[in-house]
Amino acid sequence: MSNIEGVQLITAAGSVTISNGVKIVYVNPASLLATLVPTFPANANDLDELWFHYGGTILTGVAVVTAQTLTPNSGQSIVGTLLTAPLGGSCTAFRYRGANTTWYKIV
């Protein structure tokens, strides 16, 4: 996992907390991940956006993660249908509303 200038790369299964200030998360493993549990950043600001992009090494239309659980950080919530088994070439995005500490799915 790396975090360079607002980008975080995930290449391994398991639980990972997205770093504060990250805007783009690339989920690009070498092969299918059985499980992935990304937790949203702890210190989000009003109107922050977080984009998840899947694949790259894994081709478009091929499963990248078998079972994914997008998880809000402590005191936050997520509204919208969440990708649970994303395919290569797919993406999803969320915008944070600070007034009610909620991430809303926008894509």
Side-chain angles (χ1 to χ4, degrees), residues 27-68:
V27 181
N28 188 19
S31 60
L32 176 67
L33 300 180
T35 60
L36 182 61
V37 183
T39 299
F40 283 52
N43 296 315
N45 296 305
D46 195 41
L47 301 178
D48 276 356
E49 289 186 3
L50 186 58
W51 289 75
F52 291 85
H53 296 273
Y54 300 90
T57 302
I58 295 176
L59 301 176
T60 298
V62 177
V64 175
V65 181
T66 301
Q68 174 180 259

Side-chain angles (χ1 to χ4, degrees), residues 1 10 12-18 35-39 69 71:
M1 172 177 62
I10 299 174
S15 296
V16 60
T17 298
I18 306 305
T35 60
L36 182 61
V37 183
T39 299
T69 305
T71 307

Side-chain angles (χ1 to χ4, degrees), residues 73-106:
N73 215 302
S74 179
Q76 300 174 353
S77 59
I78 299 174
V79 173
T81 304
L82 307 181
L83 287 175
T84 57
L87 303 177
S90 64
C91 75
T92 189
F94 299 84
R95 183 174 295 129
Y96 187 73
R97 182 166 184 244
N100 65 352
T101 62
T102 300
W103 291 94
Y104 290 90
K105 184 175 180 188
I106 55 176

